[in-house]
Structures are given as C-alpha cells and as structure tokens.
Amino acid sequence: MTGPSTPAPTDPQPTSGPQASGDPYAPYAAAASYGPRGAHGPYAPYAPHRSCEASGPTFGERLQVTDPERRAAATPRVLLFALLTGLLTAWLLYDGVGANLLICGVAAAAVAGAVARAAGRRIRPWTVVWSLLALTLLAVPACWDAGWPALLASGCALGLASLALHGGRRWSGVLLALPAALWQPVPGVGWVWDAMEGRPLPGRGRIVPVLKALAVAVALLVVFGLLFASADPAMADLLTGLSPSIDARQLPLRGLLFAIGALSALGLAHIAAGPRRWDRLEVRPGRERRRLEWALPLVALNLMFGTFAVIQAVVVLGGADAVLSSTGMSRSAYARQGFWQLSVITVLTLVVVAVAKRWAPRTTPADRRLTRILLGLLCLLALAVVASALGRMWFYVDASGLTRLRLWVLVVETWLGVVFLLLITAGLTRRTGWLPRAVVLSGMLTVAVYGLMGPDAIVAEQNVARYERSQQIDLRNVRELSADAVPALDRLPEPQRSCALQLIRVELDQDDRPWYAAGSSVLRARGVLAERPLVEGPVEGRGACERARLVSEGRW
C-alpha cells in the first residue's frame, strides 16, 4: 500500500520584483541594472541617441531673432500714396518701359522714405549708396532700347532697394536682404489692414453725402446722355468727344500693373516701418577638419592650377604654335573650346573656396595661417584662369565678331576676377567685415556699367570696326539687335547697311510707343533712318542681304 503522492518540489514564486509581473523578459531588464556591465553592456536599456533628441533651436526659433524691435503703424496717407503709385504704374507702364520706370521707382521710393522718416530711422551712408545705385539702374531703360539689360537692371534695382531699407553687413544680412522685397507685399497688405481696421474715417459726415451725390449725378448723366445721343446725331458727336475712351481689352493688363505698383509700394513701406535684421541670423561654422584632411586636397588643386598657369605662360611667351600643333586644333577652335571650360572652373573655384573656408582648421594660429596661405594661393592662381579665359574670348571675338552672349560672358568673367581680387585683399588684411558689401557693390556696379554702356551699341560698333579693318562681317551678329545699334550700323556701305538695318527698321515702323515708354536711342535711330532711308526693293533681281553675301556658318 502506498501512501499519498507527494507533489514535486517547485521554486518559490516571488510576490514582488520583476518576475512577479509575468513578463518573460523581466530578468534581462533586472540584469541591466546590476553593476557597470548592466549600465553599458549588451543588456543595457535603450536610450535615444543624441541626434534623435532636440539638438538646438528650430529654424522658426532662430528666425525670431531677426524680428524688428518695433514697427511703425500704417497711416491713411501711406495707403493713399500706395494707391496713387499703383495708378501711376498702370498709366505709364502700359505702353512699354523707358523713363516711366524711373518715375514709378521714384514714387515707390518716396513712399518708403516717408514711412522710414515717420518711424524715426536714420539715413546711413550705405543706405545712400544703395539707393543712388538703384535709381541709376532704373535709368538704363530710359537710355537704351535693348530688353535684356533693362530687365536685369530692374531686378537688381529692386534688390538694392530692399537692401537699402533692411541694411546688412554680414553675409546673411546682405544675401537675405536682397530678395526680401519679393515676399513683402502680402505682409504689407496685412500691416495696412490691421492699422485701418476700426479706425474712424475723418470727415465721414461730409465725405459720404458728397459721394452719394456724385453717384446719383453719374447715373442721371449716363441714362439721359444715352437717350439724347440716340435722339440727335450732333449731340451724340458732342458726348462722344467729351466722354473718355476706354478700351476694355486694356483693363486686365492695366489692372495687373496697378496691383504690381500698389503692392510694391506697400511692400517697401512695410520694410521701412520695421525691417527684419537678417544680420542677427546665426550661421554656424562647419565642423573643423584635421589639418592633413583639409590641406591635402587643396595642395593637389593648387598644383594643378599652377601647372595650367605655366602652360599658359608658355603659350603667351611664344610657344603657342607648339601647343596648337600638339593638340591639332586651330587658333579659333582652341580659343572657343577652352573658354567655357575655364568659365566653369572659375565658378567652381569660388565654391571650393567657400566650402574650404567653412570647414578649415582654426584652432591654433598655425591653422589659420595655413588656411590663408592655401586659399590665397588658390585665388591667385584662379586669376590666371580668368586672364586666360578673357584672352581666349577676346581672340575669338577678334576672329569671328562680337555678339550679345559673348559680350555678356566677358563682363561676367571680368566681375569674377574682381571677386577673386577682393578675396585676396581680405586674406592679406585679415579683416573680412567689409567683404560682403564690397562683393555686392562690385556686382551691382558691373550691372549698371553693362546697362548704361549700351550692349547692343557696343556689339554693333565692334562688328563695324572689324569690317572697316578686315572687310569681314557676319551680318547675323547685328541684324537682330535693337535700335541702339542704328548709329554704328549706319556707317556700313551698301548693301551691308540695308541688310543690317532691315529688321530694325520694320520694328521701328511698327513701334508707336510714346516718348516716356521707350529709350532715347529710339529717337536717335528714327532720325538716322529718316535722314538716310534704306535701299528699297531688289537690285538686279537680288535683295540687300543676298548681295551682301550674308555669312551662313554656325555661330554661338
């Protein structure tokens, strides 16, 4: 007989602790808290990486630093002047762009200036510089008829107006202030709306009855005027002469111009009342690199630039024939192919300098000295690249003639050379506070000189001078120019003269713009063509361009 069965022994169940919860992974969690192995070992509890946590203020929080301390409130006078600027713009700019653009620009600047004065802002020297340069750029369409320089000058003038109102000394302050006027019209409307909302209208008891009386008078005159006009032809002629002529097809464009003028004035006034201080926006420097890691690529790049400079010196000093024979290219092809690559190299070098400066070693004086030496040498060698590019382009222009594109790239390449000179000067003086404004000033002066010198007139002058020297001209380089080119092209003999001026004469015959909507060069061109008309009709069965043997090879 056996006794009762005895249950198998079991481990006692804890009443508290990690195992009491029934979680099968609880022992591992408990082990994670024991000793240094538990804190840093394979069973350590998960903790978010620092990059997953908030590493700093957001962009919105950083942007709040640039908010103005105070902003002057809008007044009814500001709204009135903005509306008048819109009306002026709709009236003057409908027919074209000329001296009217300068007039509208002065009107918008006057509104912004009045608001700035009411806000208690002081006029600083750089504000005067930017303002005068902006007005100078707006004078380009008043002098010349070419469209591309006028468009470029107008955009740069708007940027300079924004910079004059914002101010700025650092790179962030200057570069962000230039386009800031583009997004100011909407805040400007809100600024005026907030100021006008709930504001009592002065003289409302006198103005409202007058407006009602005018509305009733207009309604009566329209009704009875239509009846009288239909009843009597003489009365109809009289009323037609007295009533203003309105072309409904003009209303959409004039309405758009009115909105552009009024909103631009409000946007500039909004900036003047309290500009955002972009200089306060913090731009953190890049992570500092080790000296070898940073210097080795720059040393290699400097060696390549130096090799190129030596080759160019050999070419200049008389070894051009040997170089051209080894490449198997003609002088024209050598110059044409090399220019674009050298222009790209120039731009990429500026990018390399900016990136290298951001991540340069800067802990010790030796690090900073190494940075100045390597970057300064790279900028100096880049000047050799700029000089080579300009020389090649000028050689190609002398062989094939000047075009708008060739002139533009010559101007841009020259400005890039000026930028490299400014960078070298900043490195030698060890002071860079003046550099951002100097770079912008050099760029805007370049645009102003380019526009005021008359690009189409220069293109025509160079091609005519080349013809007078070598009896060679590609008439396609000059046939599509604007009226700015007429005085120079008038010196060509027939039939080249008539061929070069045909398209320009057709455009002038179709051009009925008033004096304020066209450049002064249009009046000069009309006078030249009126004094010496073109040869009309074919001669011996051939047109002017056929007799002039218009060059037909490809060009760029």
Side-chain angles (χ1 to χ4, degrees):
M1 183 175 185
T2 60
S5 60
T6 305
T10 58
D11 294 334
Q13 298 294 325
T15 58
S16 63
Q19 296 182 359
S21 62
D23 185 1
Y25 299 100
Y28 299 100
S33 62
Y34 293 157
R37 178 175 175 84
H40 304 285
Y43 305 116
Y46 170 77
H49 194 268
R50 289 185 178 181
S51 62
C52 300
E53 300 176 352
S55 57
T58 63
F59 177 76
E61 294 173 346
R62 293 172 59 194
L63 193 62
Q64 289 180 355
V65 181
T66 66
D67 290 342
E69 296 86 356
R70 63 182 182 88
R71 175 172 282 121
T75 61
R77 184 176 299 178
V78 173
L79 178 59
L80 176 61
F81 287 164
L83 295 177
L84 291 177
T85 303
L87 291 174
L88 188 66
T89 303
W91 173 41
L92 293 179
L93 291 184
Y94 179 82
D95 296 308
V97 176
N100 49 8
L101 185 63
L102 179 60
I103 297 173
C104 296
V106 170
V111 177
V115 174
R117 182 177 181 182
R121 300 186 58 188
R122 294 181 299 173
I123 299 179
R124 302 182 183 274
W126 277 103
T127 303
V128 177
V129 171
W130 302 134
S131 302
L132 292 179
L133 189 53
L135 294 177
T136 302
L137 288 170
L138 290 179
V140 171
C143 299
W144 302 101
D145 186 52
W148 160 244
L151 179 63
L152 179 63
S154 302
C156 292
L158 180 61
L160 284 178
S162 178
L163 182 57
L165 294 173
H166 278 98
R169 302 174 59 183
R170 301 170 55 194
W171 284 111
S172 59
V174 171
L175 296 181
L176 292 177
L178 284 172
L182 296 177
W183 53 77
Q184 289 299 319
V186 175
V189 172
W191 170 62
V192 172
W193 180 269
D194 293 339
M196 297 295 105
E197 189 177 14
R199 188 186 184 99
L201 183 65
R204 182 174 181 177
R206 297 190 302 270
I207 295 177
V208 173
V210 173
L211 293 178
K212 291 181 178 179
L214 288 176
V216 173
V218 169
L220 292 175
L221 290 176
V222 168
V223 172
F224 285 95
L226 291 175
L227 293 175
F228 278 120
S230 61
D232 186 79
M235 189 66 176
D237 293 338
L238 177 62
L239 293 178
T240 302
L242 294 177
S243 61
S245 59
I246 300 177
D247 190 350
R249 295 173 297 178
Q250 298 180 1
L251 294 180
L253 181 56
R254 290 191 183 274
L256 178 61
L257 292 174
F258 170 79
I260 292 176
L263 291 178
S264 298
L266 284 180
L268 295 177
H270 181 253
I271 299 174
R276 187 177 291 274
R277 301 299 182 182
W278 294 108
D279 274 341
R280 300 174 186 168
L281 186 64
E282 181 184 2
V283 180
R284 300 175 181 176
R287 184 172 65 88
E288 184 177 357
R289 304 293 177 176
R290 294 180 180 179
R291 187 180 299 181
L292 180 62
E293 177 188 3
W294 179 84
L296 184 59
L298 285 180
V299 171
L301 190 60
N302 279 324
L303 289 175
M304 179 173 289
F305 272 64
T307 304
F308 175 80
V310 171
I311 294 176
Q312 298 309 300
V314 171
V315 174
V316 172
L317 295 177
D321 295 335
V323 174
L324 294 176
S325 62
S326 63
T327 57
M329 302 172 62
S330 65
R331 287 177 176 266
S332 179
Y334 182 76
R336 177 179 179 180
Q337 178 179 351
F339 174 81
W340 293 110
Q341 290 87 334
L342 295 180
S343 299
V344 174
I345 289 173
T346 305
V347 176
L348 289 180
T349 304
L350 284 176
V351 177
V352 170
V353 170
V355 174
K357 183 65 173 67
R358 178 173 174 80
W359 278 280
R362 49 188 175 271
T363 302
T364 64
D367 291 337
R368 295 189 288 272
R369 189 182 307 111
L370 178 65
T371 300
R372 289 195 302 271
I373 291 174
L374 290 181
L375 294 182
L377 181 59
L378 183 59
C379 292
L380 186 62
L381 293 173
L383 287 177
V385 176
V386 172
S388 177
L390 292 175
R392 293 182 186 217
M393 174 52 69
W394 189 251
F395 180 81
Y396 186 68
V397 166
D398 187 65
S400 304
L402 188 63
T403 63
R404 287 172 173 173
L405 177 59
R406 295 167 192 171
L407 177 60
W408 170 244
V409 295
L410 277 172
V411 171
V412 173
E413 191 71 20
T414 303
W415 174 67
L416 292 176
V418 173
V419 173
F420 279 115
L421 288 175
L422 293 175
L423 292 175
I424 294 173
T425 304
L428 293 176
T429 58
R430 302 183 185 182
R431 295 180 179 179
T432 60
W434 55 271
L435 186 59
R437 289 186 290 195
V439 171
V440 173
L441 179 62
S442 66
M444 295 301 176
L445 284 175
T446 301
V447 174
V449 172
Y450 172 75
L452 291 176
M453 69 183 183
D456 282 11
I458 291 180
V459 171
E461 181 66 33
Q462 194 276 339
N463 282 276
V464 172
R466 177 171 171 266
Y467 178 81
E468 294 172 346
R469 183 176 62 253
S470 62
Q471 300 300 308
Q472 295 179 357
I473 186 173
D474 186 348
L475 291 173
R476 295 182 311 148
N477 290 346
V478 297
R479 275 173 57 83
E480 298 179 357
L481 297 178
S482 64
D484 306 340
V486 171
L489 297 178
D490 185 58
R491 304 206 313 264
L492 290 172
E494 294 293 349
Q496 285 81 4
R497 174 181 177 272
S498 295
C499 178
L501 294 175
Q502 275 181 352
L503 299 180
I504 301 176
R505 199 274 309 273
V506 171
E507 292 181 358
L508 289 177
D509 290 342
Q510 299 174 354
D511 188 2
D512 56 352
R513 292 176 295 173
W515 65 268
Y516 57 81
S520 59
S521 63
V522 174
L523 298 178
R524 293 194 298 268
R526 293 184 188 277
V528 170
L529 294 178
E531 184 178 351
R532 292 185 59 195
L534 302 185
V535 177
E536 301 290 346
V539 177
E540 298 179 357
R542 296 186 300 170
C545 291
E546 186 180 359
R547 288 183 288 117
R549 297 179 181 179
L550 181 66
V551 178
S552 59
E553 68 265 15
R555 67 185 180 94
W556 57 273

